[in-house]
Amino acid sequence: MSVEQVIDALRGRFADLDFSPQPLLVRPDGTATEQMWVRVPPERLVEVMTFLKENEEALFDQLVDVTAIDYLNFPGAEDRYGVIYSLLSLVHGHRLWVKCFVNDPDPEVPSVTGVWVGANWLEREVYDMFGIRFQGHPDLRRILTWEGFPAWPLRKDYPLRGQGEREQYEVVTRESA
Amino acid sequence: MMANEKYTYAPHTMSKDDFVTTRLDTLVNFFRKYGVNWCRKYSLWPLPFATACCGIEVMAVGASRYDIARFGAEAMRFSPRQADLLIVAGRVGIKMMPVLQRIYKQMTEPKWVISMGACASTGGVFDTYAVVQGVDQFMPVDVYVPGCPPRPETLIEGVMAIQRIVERDGIVSSTERGKGFRVVVEPTYTLTVPSRQEKVDEPVGVGK
């Protein structure tokens, strides 16, 4: 089973969607990698993901990673955020990347925790770093920073040195300790 | 041997033939001044607060090649209640700083702090929102050990700087020591040059 067959199966099942499959990387000599990514609109994400997990030709039984990109000021980008799902089939040994583009204000994608339980903490990390909400997530809290942290640190408009979070502590002196 | 002559020597230098006749309160004062400090100097109990690669060097210092047991500080304690030397080794994140402060508060007097490496002292290369730019902004530090990470010899030199502080300061609490000595150690492999050794020794007395 190759990724092309998976994409053919996707097109056969979801004829109305434009997956626009592209290689992950094009080398300087013009050749492309065999690894592909497809774009899926957020409103159909869970449907497509369920198909990818359960279809006999796809069988993506492992969700390797959920991450995101902030495309602010990125040349040629149409959307602000891209949520990226990295899939692996342990049966067939092939991989596929699914990208899901969302925009300000209130960027929101449906949660895939109903498909892969392991998406729970991965989606919490994306929520923590980018502020992208996952609709239907059972426990959508920040995972690395604390509740009440005032910003979304990995957004491009957040300054690298922060907004003073690293300086707001009480000063423990020898007298006060 | 006259009793009065012995006051200039630490008690451990007496041979088995020496004896001393003195008043009991004089003897007690003598041991408080010299004996207790000497004992405390060679029985520092460090708490290795190791959060990054400096922690590997702390482990090397504790292992047989460098062997901090030669300086009596091999009893690594992971409870602040049982430690009197806090070695902050590695970068301290914004979530870790309150933990570090609480650990410092939980340590019993007298207590000393070594800020080990570039990250603990200044934030190092991690000039980001998530890393505290030097723990000395928010808590007292006695000795800074430079390096990225420091060589084990450098950390041992830092521990020896603490020992010199203990020897001169003794059992007064850290509150009475004020803001600390701000000692920066240099690597010990330069100590063969006598002038450099004086340079290392010099700052210890500055805070006094």
Side-chain angles (χ1 to χ4, degrees):
Chain A
M1 293 293 167
S2 68
V3 183
E4 282 75 23
Q5 286 170 287
V6 173
I7 292 171
D8 288 342
L10 266 181
R11 281 180 170 143
R13 170 68 177 77
F14 301 96
D16 54 329
L17 293 185
D18 175 26
F19 291 105
S20 59
Q22 293 171 36
L24 268 190
L25 177 76
V26 179
R27 301 187 187 91
D29 61 359
T31 59
T33 57
E34 295 175 359
Q35 298 169 330
M36 308 289 282
W37 68 270
V38 296
R39 66 182 298 159
V40 175
E43 55 270 16
R44 305 288 295 274
L45 182 73
V46 174
E47 202 181 335
V48 173
M49 289 301 206
T50 309
F51 174 81
L52 282 176
K53 186 187 180 188
E54 292 171 357
N55 181 267
E56 282 298 315
E57 295 184 358
L59 275 182
F60 289 106
D61 43 5
Q62 187 174 19
L63 176 69
V64 178
D65 199 6
V66 179
T67 183
I69 296 176
D70 185 354
Y71 286 105
L72 183 70
N73 299 329
F74 190 85
E78 298 167 4
D79 303 284
R80 173 76 193 267
Y81 307 103
V83 184
I84 297 153
Y85 300 84
S86 177
L87 308 179
L88 166 66
S89 169
L90 294 170
V91 179
H92 302 307
H94 55 214
R95 295 173 186 266
L96 185 71
W97 282 261
V98 175
K99 293 193 185 181
C100 196
F101 295 96
V102 286
N103 280 293
D104 275 335
D106 193 25
E108 195 171 65
V109 292
S111 170
V112 295
T113 46
V115 187
W116 297 279
V117 180
N120 190 322
W121 282 16
L122 303 172
E123 290 182 343
R124 278 178 65 187
E125 186 183 351
V126 171
Y127 167 68
D128 189 1
M129 292 288 124
F130 292 91
I132 298 169
R133 300 192 66 85
F134 288 87
Q135 212 170 16
H137 192 285
D139 183 27
L140 193 63
R141 291 176 294 130
R142 285 177 177 269
I143 191 170
L144 295 175
T145 61
W146 55 88
E147 287 298 318
F149 189 82
W152 313 107
L154 286 194
R155 288 189 180 183
K156 292 294 183 196
D157 50 5
Y158 180 79
L160 174 63
R161 291 172 183 170
Q163 296 163 340
E165 292 90 354
R166 66 187 186 184
E167 277 128 29
Q168 290 168 359
Y169 298 100
E170 59 155 336
V171 177
V172 175
T173 62
R174 294 184 198 276
E175 289 76 20
S176 68
Chain B
M1 195 67 74
M2 293 291 290
N4 287 338
E5 290 174 21
K6 295 301 289 184
Y7 286 120
T8 51
Y9 299 103
H12 64 283
T13 59
M14 296 178 187
S15 71
K16 64 178 170 26
D17 297 327
D18 292 342
F19 65 92
V20 156
T21 53
T22 181
R23 284 166 55 195
L24 184 60
D25 55 346
T26 314
L27 196 64
V28 168
N29 286 339
F30 179 87
F31 273 100
R32 279 177 67 184
K33 192 168 181 187
Y34 296 103
V36 175
N37 287 359
W38 184 82
C39 295
R40 192 179 289 280
K41 174 184 167 187
Y42 288 115
S43 61
L44 290 169
W45 286 24
L47 189 154
F49 191 85
T51 52
C53 46
C54 283
I56 305 295
E57 303 298 317
V58 175
M59 292 174 214
V61 168
S64 56
R65 185 177 179 92
Y66 295 97
D67 197 10
I68 205 172
R70 295 179 293 151
F71 304 90
E74 79 279 16
M76 299 278 180
R77 294 294 137 165
F78 300 95
S79 162
R81 300 293 192 203
Q82 300 173 343
D84 54 8
L85 171 60
L86 177 61
I87 301 177
V88 184
R91 67 193 87 92
V92 178
I94 48 177
K95 280 172 88 175
M96 191 57 91
M97 193 65 214
V99 179
L100 180 60
Q101 287 180 330
R102 173 168 290 194
I103 284 176
Y104 179 77
K105 287 179 182 174
Q106 285 175 339
M107 289 169 68
T108 50
E109 292 283 357
K111 54 190 173 186
W112 298 273
V113 181
I114 288 179
S115 172
M116 177 186 178
C119 296
S121 303
T122 68
V125 298
F126 302 101
D127 190 7
T128 73
Y129 71 98
V131 178
V132 174
Q133 303 295 299
V135 297
D136 58 341
Q137 295 178 77
F138 307 109
M139 60 181 283
V141 169
D142 286 302
V143 172
Y144 301 86
V145 177
C148 185
R151 292 275 313 169
E153 299 95 322
T154 321
L155 179 60
I156 289 175
E157 177 61 32
V159 173
M160 289 168 71
I162 293 284
Q163 286 183 338
R164 289 193 284 272
I165 292 173
V166 174
E167 192 177 20
R168 295 176 192 210
D169 248 23
I171 51 177
V172 299
S173 68
S174 65
T175 312
E176 292 168 52
R177 275 190 283 133
K179 295 201 168 187
F181 291 96
R182 301 269 164 179
V183 176
V184 180
V185 304
E186 294 182 23
T188 50
Y189 55 79
T190 61
L191 287 184
T192 49
V193 185
S195 59
R196 299 295 293 273
Q197 186 168 16
E198 287 168 15
K199 211 183 279 181
V200 172
D201 282 337
E202 203 178 17
V204 176
V206 170
K208 220 158 157 86

